Amino acid sequence: MEIMLIDDHPLLNAGIASIIETTGIFTSCVQAESLVQAMSIIEKSKTLPSLIILDLLLGEENGLDFLPMLEKYCHDKKVPKPPVLVCSALGDSFKIQTAMKLGAAGFLSKTGGKAELLKAIDTILDGKVYISNELNIKLNENFRIYAKFSKREIDVINLLKQNKTNKQIAGALCISHRTVENYVSKIYFKTGFSSREEVQKL
């Protein structure tokens, strides 16, 4: 598997790459120092990375802008979107919730160590959501419910909140209509909700 690191600090990128290489999980590590460079690499590559680690402070760029860019690219190409782990020194609740609503699979504080980084990667590759414990306490109770869901279920929730139909959700995520119905059922089960209107209030 290939991983992409998007951070404008080469030394930090090198440190994260070194930690990741020790796991033996990833075959290569691609590094980008800007959103433009990251999207250029993605557009020229034959395959998408298996995981993307994204910083939020990229010079004059806002790392959050990458999430809708990636979403649009994958939608246009009709390919599954790789999970994105935000790794940032910015850990306020607004940033965390915005990142997750835009489709991030996790949010990791840069103050975390090697063990937490690897735990976050394992969790996300397992299809689950990861938020650092020290950051999770900053989230309101309504949003903390997100931790119950898989990454794909959160994708469905975000589209439900946009008032998308099951057919539109299936098209956006490149999955079948039946699969969307199964995800919606799981979301209802995990929340105790029984309508889209309730989900939209998350």
Side-chain angles (χ1 to χ4, degrees), residues 66-143:
F66 175 77
L67 294 166
M69 291 165 63
L70 180 65
E71 183 82 42
K72 183 179 186 305
Y73 175 83
C74 293
H75 178 267
D76 291 346
K77 295 294 184 180
K78 292 182 170 55
V79 294
K81 184 180 66 175
V84 178
L85 170 63
V86 174
C87 183
S88 177
L90 301 175
D92 62 273
S93 61
F94 176 77
K95 286 287 192 307
I96 300 169
Q97 294 184 41
T98 300
M100 301 305 288
K101 287 178 180 178
L102 287 173
F107 203 108
L108 179 68
S109 171
K110 279 191 173 180
T111 60
K114 173 181 176 180
E116 187 174 21
L117 171 62
L118 297 179
K119 179 182 178 181
I121 290 174
D122 286 342
T123 300
I124 290 172
L125 289 179
D126 196 34
K128 300 175 183 176
V129 173
Y130 185 87
I131 300 177
S132 294
N133 287 333
E134 67 176 87
L135 301 179
N136 192 42
I137 61 174
K138 299 180 181 180
L139 301 180
N140 61 50
E141 187 59 37
N142 211 27
F143 193 83

Side-chain angles (χ1 to χ4, degrees), residues 26-61:
F26 297 95
T27 56
S28 59
C29 189
V30 179
Q31 300 179 35
E33 296 182 17
S34 69
L35 301 186
V36 172
Q37 185 182 9
M39 288 308 301
S40 177
I41 292 172
I42 287 173
E43 289 167 358
K44 293 176 182 178
S45 300
K46 293 182 179 179
T47 58
L48 288 168
S50 301
L51 174 70
I52 298 172
I53 297 180
L54 171 70
D55 187 17
L56 296 186
L57 292 176
L58 300 167
E60 296 182 356
E61 293 181 313

Side-chain angles (χ1 to χ4, degrees), residues 11 17 23 37 66 77-78 80 89 106 108 151 154 170 182 187:
L11 286 178
T23 67
Q37 185 182 9
F66 175 77
K77 295 294 184 180
K78 292 182 170 55
L108 179 68
K151 174 64 181 64
I154 287 181
N182 289 337
I187 291 166

